[in-house]
Amino acid sequence: MASTQTRWQIAGDYFENCNCDVVCPCLFSPNAPLTSQPTAGACEIALGFHIDQGSYGSATLNGLNVAMIVRTPGPMAEGNWSVALYLDELADEQQRQALQAIFTGSVGGPFAALAPLISTVLGVKTAPITFRKEGKSRSVEIPSIMQLAVHAVPSINPDEEIWAKNAHFIAPSVALAVGDEKSTWEDYGMRWDNAGKNAHYAPINWSST
């Protein structure tokens, strides 16, 4: 098991695509964050992560990818989350343990405050994960499971994204985006198609301190 005292840090990029209409009321509404009813009733969100530079104790995490899905039956703050985690097949056993510790929140970081909301862990799988960042587009692919892709929503200045500050637990600012056509995930007896639905992306910089 990973030690909660281990020092770690990761820097890279992330994006997400959920089934809410743009813009997601879980984050942008008159109510407190995560307390609004998702526009489709339940929240179904898929996330992709790429680590440019990272370490966990003596383990180097550079270049590794992670993907995650979360489903909540109602407002996210009410809990009962179902979660599945996908870890890069290029990681060795030490790196996989490190990634699992970081992305389950067991060693601090952004997911630590959300861990108590999880009631069901659907599984943790090792898989080939391809993450792409091209201009104002992001995508992640896990063969036969996830073909997730998003792009920035149109803005007044077409060369710049629309950024929301102090709106998300994963990053200080997130770009507003939307799911591409056929942005899908299929596993554990479920299939989601979040094309045309809410999305965000941002650089990330997390650490144990």
Side-chain angles (χ1 to χ4, degrees):
M1 296 297 290
S3 169
T4 57
Q5 303 303 312
T6 302
R7 294 178 63 87
W8 61 269
Q9 65 82 32
I10 60 171
D13 280 272
Y14 112 99
F15 76 96
E16 64 182 77
N17 186 195
C18 72
N19 63 331
C20 280
D21 294 339
V22 180
V23 174
C24 177
C26 299
L27 299 181
F28 303 100
S29 80
N31 303 318
L34 305 183
T35 62
S36 292
Q37 187 74 21
T39 56
C43 178
E44 297 175 341
I45 178 172
L47 308 95
F49 301 86
H50 175 73
I51 301 171
D52 289 318
Q53 294 183 328
S55 62
Y56 184 95
S58 62
T60 299
L61 305 177
N62 299 358
L64 296 177
N65 301 312
V66 173
M68 177 186 298
I69 65 95
V70 176
R71 187 183 192 279
T72 73
M76 299 189 79
E78 294 183 2
N80 295 318
W81 293 21
S82 296
V83 175
L85 190 62
Y86 301 89
L87 305 177
D88 200 324
E89 70 171 7
L90 298 178
D92 61 26
E93 180 60 28
Q94 184 183 19
Q95 291 170 322
R96 285 195 295 270
Q97 289 184 11
L99 293 174
Q100 185 168 341
I102 292 169
F103 285 91
T104 59
S106 66
V107 289
F111 284 106
L114 302 176
L117 300 173
I118 299 171
S119 60
T120 303
V121 177
L122 297 170
V124 179
K125 295 182 178 181
T126 300
I129 305 173
T130 302
F131 187 105
R132 294 185 176 90
K133 174 184 176 182
E134 299 176 355
K136 295 186 289 183
S137 296
R138 306 287 187 272
S139 66
V140 68
E141 180 179 3
I142 302 174
S144 302
I145 294 176
M146 182 180 287
Q147 289 76 41
L148 197 68
V150 307
H151 60 276
V153 299
S155 59
I156 292 176
N157 181 347
D159 295 326
E160 296 181 4
E161 300 99 324
I162 300 173
W163 290 89
K165 184 178 180 181
N166 193 30
H168 205 297
F169 68 93
I170 284 182
S173 296
V174 294
L176 303 190
V178 60
D180 288 0
E181 183 179 358
K182 297 181 180 178
S183 186
T184 61
W185 169 81
E186 184 172 8
D187 204 358
Y188 298 101
M190 294 180 281
R191 185 182 190 278
W192 305 345
D193 186 339
N194 290 345
K197 298 298 184 178
N198 183 79
H200 306 295
Y201 63 78
I204 58 171
N205 193 344
W206 306 346
S207 71
S208 54
T209 57

